[in-house]
Amino acid sequence: MQNEEELISRIVNGDLTAFKILIKQYEKLVIYMVGRLVQNKEDIEDICQEVFIKVHKYLPGFRFQSKLSTWIAQIAYGTAINHQKKVSGKRNLTDDISDFENYHKTTEDPETILTKKNTSVFIQQQIQKLPIHYRTVLTLYHLNEFSYQEIEEITGMPEGTVKNYLFRARKLLKEKLEIYLKY
Amino acid sequence: MKAPNEKEIQRLLDEQLKENGEPGLLSSVSKEDEELYKLLFTTLADEPTDLQNVSLAEGVIKKIKAKEQKAESLRYLSLIAATLILGLLYAYCATYYISQPVLTSILSFIADYKWIFLFIICSVIIIEIADKNLVKRKSAVLN
C-alpha cells in the first residue's frame, strides 16, 4: 500500500512514467471488464483509454477509502455501462435471458457446436450472450477476483443481487456446458 | 486471472449449491453436475483470448500529453490576449493624460479605417485557426 501511495503521489505531481506503471498494473482489470461489457470489439480499446484518462483526471481526489483496484473498476464499470446505454439503448441492460435460453434451440445445431475449438472458447462465447449484469458479476468475481462486498461497491448492486446473478449465470452456463459436452 | 485450485473450486461449488436455498440439496446433487460445475469454475477463470493483445499505456500517455499541451497553449494564448488588452488600455490612458488632441486624432484614424483593422484582425485569427487544424490533422496522419 505504501508503494501505491507513493506511486499515486508521483502521478499527482505530474509524473507520467509513474502513471504508465499504474496503467500496466491495472490494464488487465480494465480490459477484461470493458471487454466483457462492451459488445463492439472496435470500441473496447477507446473505452479502456477513456477509463485511464478519467483515472488520471480524478486521481488527486482519491482518498484511499477503498482499494485502488475497486476505485478503478468502479470507473471502468460506469464508463462501459454508459457506453452500452448509448449504443444499444436499455434493451441489452435488462435481465432478458430468453434469447440465451433458446440459443441451442434456434441458432445452432450440434454440428456447429462440434466445430467449436474447446470448452473455454465455448464458455467465453456463451458469457458474451448473457445479459450485461450477469456478465458483470461473473467477470468481477471469477476473472478479477473481487469479493461480493467489493462487487457491491463497484456496481452499486446489493450483495444479495450479486449472489443471485452469479448463481443464475453459473446455472445457465452449466446447462449450456452440459448440452455442449453431450454432443 | 489465476486458475482456481481444487480447494477453491470445492468452496465455490458448495457455495453455489447452498445458494439454491434447498436443504439437503448438496447430497442430492448428481456427480455429473458436480463435475460440470468444477469444469465451469475452472473455465470461468480463464483469461479471454481475444483481449490479451490490447495495450493501453502508450495511447493513454499520448492522449494525456496532447490534452496537457492544449491546456498549456490555451493558457499561453490567454496570457497574450490579456497583455495585449492591458497594453492597449495603458496606451490609451497614457495618451489621454499626455495629449488629448493626439488621442482624438488616433481614435478618428481608427474609426476611419475600422474595416481595414477588422479585416486584418479576422485574417490573423482565421490563419491561426487554419494553421492549428492543418498541423493537427497532419500530425494525426503521420502518427
Side-chain angles (χ1 to χ4, degrees), chain A residues 3 15 27 30 45 56 71 89 103 114 126 132 156 179-180:
Chain A
N3 280 343
D15 185 348
E27 70 180 349
V30 173
E45 198 168 334
H56 186 261
W71 185 72
Y103 173 62
L114 276 171
Q126 296 305 307
I132 196 161
I179 297 166
Y180 171 71

Side-chain angles (χ1 to χ4, degrees), chain A residues 4-173:
Chain A
E4 209 160 63
E5 277 181 33
E6 197 185 306
L7 191 70
I8 289 171
S9 130
R10 278 172 59 197
I11 296 165
V12 170
N13 289 323
D15 185 348
L16 284 178
T17 316
F19 189 57
K20 210 171 175 177
I21 296 168
L22 185 131
I23 296 173
K24 291 276 176 202
Q25 272 177 15
Y26 293 101
E27 70 180 349
K28 281 201 168 183
L29 161 73
V30 173
I31 290 168
Y32 291 156
M33 208 173 145
V34 173
R36 281 273 173 85
L37 300 190
V38 174
Q39 301 281 24
N40 187 0
K41 297 286 165 208
E42 287 155 14
D43 294 339
I44 292 172
E45 198 168 334
D46 283 343
I47 296 163
C48 290
Q49 286 187 356
E50 194 186 327
V51 169
F52 278 109
I53 289 169
K54 281 184 185 171
V55 167
H56 186 261
K57 188 179 172 186
Y58 297 116
L59 205 56
F62 180 66
R63 295 283 171 264
F64 292 95
Q65 283 166 344
S66 60
K67 278 162 70 182
L68 184 61
S69 57
T70 312
W71 185 72
I72 293 174
Q74 230 171 352
I75 295 175
Y77 175 72
T79 312
I81 286 284
N82 284 342
H83 173 82
Q84 275 306 97
K85 274 183 192 166
K86 269 187 217 160
V87 170
S88 33
K90 291 226 165 184
R91 196 199 162 274
N92 279 359
L93 302 181
T94 63
D95 293 337
D96 184 9
I97 54 166
S98 54
D99 291 349
F100 183 79
E101 282 175 334
N102 294 328
Y103 173 62
H104 279 295
K105 292 173 197 165
T106 55
T107 57
E108 285 200 23
D109 52 67
E111 274 184 18
T112 318
I113 297 164
L114 276 171
T115 59
K116 298 244 164 55
K117 280 180 190 171
N118 55 44
T119 315
S120 180
V121 175
F122 176 74
I123 291 294
Q124 301 296 338
Q125 288 170 346
Q126 296 305 307
I127 292 170
Q128 286 307 119
K129 293 184 175 81
L130 285 168
I132 196 161
H133 296 313
Y134 288 19
R135 297 204 299 271
T136 305
V137 292
L138 274 179
T139 307
L140 288 170
Y141 190 85
H142 285 281
L143 207 54
N144 295 325
E145 297 169 342
F146 284 111
S147 67
Y148 295 130
Q149 288 79 14
E150 285 169 332
I151 298 173
E152 183 181 1
E153 204 180 318
I154 292 164
T155 60
M157 297 175 201
E159 196 179 318
T161 310
V162 172
K163 285 183 179 176
N164 187 27
Y165 283 161
L166 261 178
F167 171 74
R168 282 154 70 180
R170 286 168 183 157
K171 195 165 179 280
L172 284 166
L173 288 174

Side-chain angles (χ1 to χ4, degrees), chain B residues 6 9-10 13 33-42:
Chain B
E6 192 67 25
I9 291 170
Q10 193 56 52
L13 188 59
D33 274 355
E34 195 181 316
E35 287 304 317
L36 280 169
Y37 272 121
K38 276 186 183 178
L39 180 59
L40 179 65
F41 289 139
T42 317

Side-chain angles (χ1 to χ4, degrees), chain B:
Chain B
M1 305 282 179
K2 70 173 170 55
N5 56 30
E6 192 67 25
K7 207 174 157 186
E8 174 71 358
I9 291 170
Q10 193 56 52
R11 187 186 67 75
L12 288 169
L13 188 59
D14 291 345
E15 204 174 69
Q16 174 79 35
L17 296 172
K18 273 177 200 164
E19 272 165 15
N20 208 14
E22 290 173 38
L25 185 88
L26 240 144
S27 55
S28 67
V29 71
S30 69
K31 189 75 190 160
E32 191 191 3
D33 274 355
E34 195 181 316
E35 287 304 317
L36 280 169
Y37 272 121
K38 276 186 183 178
L39 180 59
L40 179 65
F41 289 139
T42 317
T43 317
L44 283 173
D46 285 348
E47 299 185 12
T49 45
D50 54 337
L51 299 172
Q52 282 170 357
N53 298 323
V54 183
S55 180
L56 300 171
E58 299 300 330
V60 173
I61 298 293
K62 204 184 271 181
K63 279 187 182 173
I64 290 170
K65 275 183 182 169
K67 219 173 159 187
E68 283 177 351
Q69 214 167 6
K70 205 175 168 185
E72 185 62 37
S73 27
L74 196 72
R75 268 199 297 273
Y76 178 70
L77 287 174
S78 309
L79 194 72
I80 288 175
T83 313
L84 204 70
I85 291 165
L86 284 174
L88 285 171
L89 270 174
Y90 178 76
Y92 178 85
C93 293
T95 321
Y96 179 81
Y97 285 111
I98 294 164
S99 165
Q100 280 196 23
V102 172
L103 180 67
T104 316
S105 62
I106 289 172
L107 286 176
S108 66
F109 175 77
I110 293 171
D112 289 344
Y113 297 100
K114 59 179 179 289
W115 294 115
I116 294 175
F117 285 116
L118 208 65
F119 174 75
I120 293 168
I121 292 166
C122 287
S123 302
V124 170
I125 291 170
I126 290 167
I127 290 167
E128 276 298 311
I129 291 169
D131 182 51
K132 283 243 165 10
N133 284 345
L134 285 174
V135 169
K136 198 178 168 187
R137 210 170 292 166
K138 200 177 170 186
S139 55
V141 169
L142 288 172
N143 288 331

